[in-house]
Amino acid sequence: MRCGEKDTDERSTGRAALPVRTCFYRSLPKAVTLKEKDFRCRSPAFRLTTMRAKNSLIIAGCPILVLLFLAVPFPAPAAERVQVLIRGLEGPLLENVQKALVLPYGLTTGEEVNTFWLERFRKEAPDKVRRALEPYGYYRAVIRTSLDKTGENAYRLVAAVDPGRPVRIEAIDLDLRGPGGGEQALRKFLQDFPLRRGEVLLQQKYEEGKAALQNRATELGYLDADFPVHAVAVDPDRSTARIELVLDTGMQYRFDSVRFEGATRYPDKFLNRFLAFKPGEIFSYAKLGETQLNLINSERFREVLPVPLKAETREHRVPVEIRLDEAPTKRLRPGLGYATDLGPRFSLEYRDLNVYERGHEFRSELNLSQRLQSLGAGYTLPGEDIDTLTGLQVNLRREDVATYTTSNASAEVNRSASFGRGRLGTVYLRLERERSTVGSVPLDSRLVLPGIRVSEQRSDSLVRPTRGHHYSLDLRGTHQAIGSNNRFLQAIADGSVLVPLPWRLSLYTRARAGATFQNAPVSTLPVSYRFFAGGDRSVRGYSYQSLGPANDQGQVVGGRNVLVGSLELNRALFANWGVAAFYDAGNAFNNFTDIRLFQGAGVGLRYFTIVGALRFDVARQLSVDNPSYRFHLTVGFAL
């Protein structure tokens, strides 16, 4: 047997691995029937892995040999014949010692225990325990071991441990040297070092603080930062320790030129939009990662690999090569779905992400459903940086629901800019012509509508988020003086928040508020700019667009204002399922002094897939005469 030392235990324990000493048995005892040499194989794929915890053999390669091996009965695991008890410890100390005293393979064969190797393991146990306690500051532990026979071919190994006093830090000397010695960000890291004078010496905290300091220096462009002095002197007799740690930052590096490889169909001017840095700025791996994410999110590349060419560095300026694997630029994606509000639906989307090989984007989309049909096209011109876009859009839309019918044609030009992560600001000008009938009254509207919109959206997943938020603020209006046959000013606010809770619960809240300022009667307001409530995404328990002010015949005609809110408690089940309980309230109205909020509550079932989510809700109306139930089903899949 040869005994080797390993610095870290690689088994998953739910916390960071700590140093332990482990013996690896390179050959098996003679008493073992199955020997390693019996499983030799010429195939390079063959491996024999010894799992100390489970004492099982995994063989890859030589299929015939594997079948023969599976036919041979396994020897009884050592843990079934030998019990290891550790006394005097608890918590993390006990857990690390248990990992150190895992029995090696080969102690049992069939029904027999190899007492020679078991006794040798007992003698080595005190040293193993001491090394397992040192990362927690215990260097003077007293360990007594005993080996008792508890039955036929059954043994108990007992390790009684007195950890003694922990070693405490008597002095700690931290310093910076080199050109970056005056960096305030690094000085602050020294002040926040996780170990202080008088605390117990914990090796894990020391290594974490040391690594964090070096990483921070690297983030600030000091790529050669290293520790010429890093010493921990322990005096076991006095149970004290002295720490001396000096970081030499070296010179600060900066970005140099950037070259792209593998994107022959995109001009460099377009690709430079996605860079999160400029030549001459302080070098940062975080900026390289942000650049990589920008290019991936553009959906134009299958693979993005930024490579700093440190070997080509001149005067501490690092050139960067970004290797790209282009994705197809033209895409056609059909989709199927169903929603209680609109009925069965079919969609077809076409995108070209590199029109004229200049990075321009063209998109067109057809949507067909029982109550809503639309056809739209858009053209996007990239700006000088990733934060700016100019868009042109045209849309045809027809909607036929119980409360109204409308046909709408519009054209829009917009300019968008990002002002922070997930935040987008847009100014737009829309030309629109709408013909509609609501409450048996026809209406013809012509609008020249400028507006401004601000939005933000963040979540931890696009498919099944567990936390996130979204808001949108839209201010728009028109007047006869700019070519419309109507005048009004409208403000709309939408928002939602998803908050994780214990026990796989989450709370989802959403709200929508809108207000219209208009001197003329509401009957002159275009139908697509009136507010309604009710439906799958509004107040469940009521049909789509069925809530709002009504005319003398009782027909809902919509209102100037709207207020809708929802609370939903979700519970995740298994990998892809979930259940929900919800409460909705809201309505559309003309005057804030005369608001009646309709209410609905119920339960729902959720099923999540990578291409869409299925939502099934059963809602009951509240606080109304003769309340009824309504089913709401929403499902959509991209084909």
Side-chain angles (χ1 to χ4, degrees):
M1 179 194 77
R2 292 186 298 172
C3 186
E5 182 173 324
K6 189 175 183 181
D7 291 333
T8 58
D9 189 335
E10 298 176 352
R11 288 182 294 272
S12 175
T13 61
R15 53 168 54 87
L18 298 176
V20 298
R21 174 176 288 186
T22 307
C23 282
F24 298 88
Y25 292 84
R26 303 304 184 189
S27 60
L28 302 179
K30 293 182 179 180
V32 178
T33 304
L34 303 177
K35 297 182 180 179
E36 180 176 343
K37 66 181 181 179
D38 295 331
F39 296 97
R40 291 176 183 171
C41 176
R42 293 183 180 179
S43 169
F46 175 78
R47 290 185 178 87
L48 175 64
T49 304
T50 302
M51 304 296 293
R52 296 188 301 277
K54 299 297 184 181
N55 300 315
S56 61
L57 297 176
I58 302 175
I59 297 183
C62 297
I64 297 177
L65 187 57
V66 173
L67 294 176
L68 293 175
F69 172 75
L70 293 176
V72 179
F74 285 97
E80 296 181 2
R81 294 292 177 183
V82 181
Q83 183 183 15
V84 178
L85 296 180
I86 302 168
R87 295 173 178 168
L89 300 176
E90 60 183 14
L93 299 180
L94 176 61
E95 292 178 12
N96 213 42
V97 170
Q98 286 174 335
K99 294 199 291 279
L101 294 184
V102 170
L103 295 171
Y105 175 81
L107 284 177
T108 64
T109 57
E111 299 294 325
E112 299 296 326
V113 176
N114 192 316
T115 56
F116 173 80
W117 290 116
L118 180 58
E119 176 61 25
R120 184 155 187 170
F121 183 80
R122 182 195 69 80
K123 292 179 180 179
E124 294 174 349
D127 186 54
K128 294 176 180 290
V129 173
R130 289 190 187 95
R131 291 187 176 274
L133 293 175
E134 287 177 1
Y136 294 94
Y138 293 90
Y139 286 78
R140 299 282 290 178
V142 177
I143 302 100
R144 296 181 179 85
T145 61
S146 61
L147 183 62
D148 302 318
K149 189 171 184 179
T150 58
E152 185 177 358
N153 296 323
Y155 297 84
R156 179 171 58 204
L157 174 62
V158 179
V161 184
D162 179 6
R165 289 190 304 162
V167 169
R168 294 188 177 273
I169 300 172
E170 182 181 47
I172 181 167
D173 184 12
L174 308 174
D175 198 11
L176 294 175
R177 296 178 186 172
E183 284 278 0
Q184 292 302 315
L186 295 179
R187 290 288 174 185
K188 186 176 186 306
F189 255 71
L190 293 185
Q191 296 173 3
D192 298 336
F193 198 79
L195 290 177
R196 299 183 181 277
R197 182 179 177 182
E199 293 182 352
V200 174
L201 175 62
L202 299 178
Q203 290 184 15
Q204 184 176 351
K205 280 191 174 183
Y206 170 75
E207 295 296 339
E208 288 175 352
K210 181 181 171 184
L213 179 60
Q214 188 172 24
N215 290 340
R216 183 56 177 152
T218 302
E219 290 174 2
L220 294 173
Y222 298 98
L223 305 185
D224 298 328
D226 201 2
F227 296 96
V229 179
H230 52 100
V232 179
V234 177
D235 185 346
D237 295 331
R238 297 176 55 235
S239 297
T240 60
R242 302 178 66 89
I243 296 177
E244 187 177 5
L245 186 64
V246 177
L247 176 70
D248 188 338
T249 64
M251 294 297 295
Q252 190 177 48
Y253 287 75
R254 294 181 179 272
F255 284 108
D256 201 358
S257 59
V258 178
R259 67 173 181 257
F260 297 92
E261 295 291 338
T264 58
R265 293 183 293 172
Y266 291 93
D268 285 351
K269 181 179 179 181
F270 172 76
L271 297 174
N272 285 329
R273 300 175 62 251
F274 301 99
L275 297 179
F277 58 87
K278 295 180 179 179
E281 292 184 356
I282 295 173
F283 183 90
S284 167
Y285 284 105
K287 292 293 185 181
L288 286 180
E290 186 178 346
T291 298
Q292 182 182 38
L293 187 62
N294 289 343
L295 287 162
I296 290 174
N297 287 342
S298 74
E299 303 181 64
R300 291 170 168 88
F301 307 101
R302 282 186 290 251
E303 185 176 347
V304 178
L305 182 62
V307 180
L309 304 176
K310 196 175 179 184
E312 301 180 16
T313 298
R314 297 291 183 272
E315 298 180 353
H316 298 94
R317 288 180 173 263
V318 184
V320 176
E321 180 180 271
I322 301 180
R323 301 167 187 171
L324 303 170
D325 182 11
E326 293 185 18
T329 60
K330 297 179 174 62
R331 304 172 190 176
L332 185 65
R333 186 176 68 173
L336 294 174
Y338 178 85
T340 310
D341 288 349
L342 302 177
R345 68 174 184 263
F346 169 78
S347 65
L348 185 64
E349 181 188 54
Y350 171 77
R351 296 177 69 190
D352 185 346
L353 299 176
N354 193 19
V355 181
Y356 305 126
E357 295 192 352
R358 300 180 64 182
H360 296 186
E361 178 181 350
F362 173 77
R363 174 186 301 199
S364 62
E365 185 171 5
L366 172 68
N367 287 285
L368 301 175
S369 68
Q370 182 179 350
R371 300 183 179 91
L372 175 65
Q373 303 85 42
S374 67
L375 175 63
Y379 193 90
T380 302
L381 295 86
E384 295 182 357
D385 55 59
I386 192 175
D387 294 334
T388 58
L389 296 169
T390 300
L392 304 171
Q393 296 180 11
V394 292
N395 291 280
L396 299 175
R397 174 186 174 99
R398 184 180 186 279
E399 190 172 10
D400 186 355
V401 297
T403 53
Y404 61 83
T405 61
T406 180
S407 298
N408 182 291
S410 65
E412 178 180 302
V413 57
N414 56 67
R415 178 77 168 177
S416 298
S418 172
F419 57 99
R421 179 188 170 193
R423 298 189 184 100
L424 187 68
T426 303
V427 293
Y428 60 88
L429 177 65
R430 185 181 304 158
L431 306 178
E432 193 165 355
R433 181 68 182 270
E434 178 179 289
R435 291 186 174 91
S436 57
T437 301
V438 55
S440 303
V441 177
L443 185 64
D444 190 348
S445 301
R446 184 182 67 253
L447 301 177
V448 178
L449 187 81
I452 183 171
R453 183 186 307 112
V454 177
S455 64
E456 179 180 357
Q457 183 167 353
R458 296 190 190 183
S459 66
D460 57 359
S461 171
L462 296 177
V463 178
R464 190 178 184 180
T466 59
R467 68 170 65 242
H469 69 270
H470 160 265
Y471 72 80
S472 174
L473 305 173
D474 196 344
L475 181 65
R476 60 198 186 189
T478 187
H479 195 276
Q480 291 92 339
I482 59 175
S484 299
N485 63 356
N486 206 325
R487 63 175 181 178
F488 61 86
L489 179 65
Q490 201 167 67
I492 304 172
D494 286 283
S496 62
V497 178
L498 178 62
V499 180
L501 300 175
W503 306 301
R504 302 189 71 189
L505 293 168
S506 62
L507 179 64
Y508 174 68
T509 63
R510 59 177 170 83
R512 172 178 170 84
T516 305
F517 305 93
Q518 180 191 35
N519 292 328
V522 69
S523 59
T524 63
L525 191 66
V527 174
S528 58
Y529 290 88
R530 300 186 197 182
F531 293 111
F532 299 82
D536 301 339
R537 300 183 179 275
S538 182
V539 183
R540 284 164 287 190
Y542 302 86
S543 60
Y544 179 59
Q545 307 286 63
S546 64
L547 300 179
N551 59 16
D552 295 338
Q553 290 75 39
Q555 299 170 316
V556 175
V557 296
R560 291 190 178 94
N561 313 303
V562 69
L563 185 61
V564 173
S566 176
L567 292 174
E568 184 170 300
L569 184 66
N570 292 276
R571 173 65 160 84
L573 298 176
F574 314 113
N576 300 313
W577 290 88
V579 292
F582 58 85
Y583 169 78
D584 299 340
N587 197 8
F589 50 91
N590 287 323
N591 300 303
F592 284 93
T593 57
D594 185 21
I595 303 176
R596 180 192 177 189
L597 297 182
F598 288 85
Q599 304 171 64
V603 295
L605 182 67
R606 310 285 184 260
Y607 179 68
F608 301 91
T609 74
I610 60 174
V611 294
L614 184 150
R615 301 172 182 272
F616 177 71
D617 294 323
V618 181
R620 184 181 187 272
Q621 300 170 358
L622 302 177
S623 302
V624 296
D625 297 333
N626 302 317
S628 62
Y629 290 87
R630 185 173 179 83
F631 297 100
H632 296 270
L633 176 63
T634 304
V635 58
F637 297 99
L639 302 179

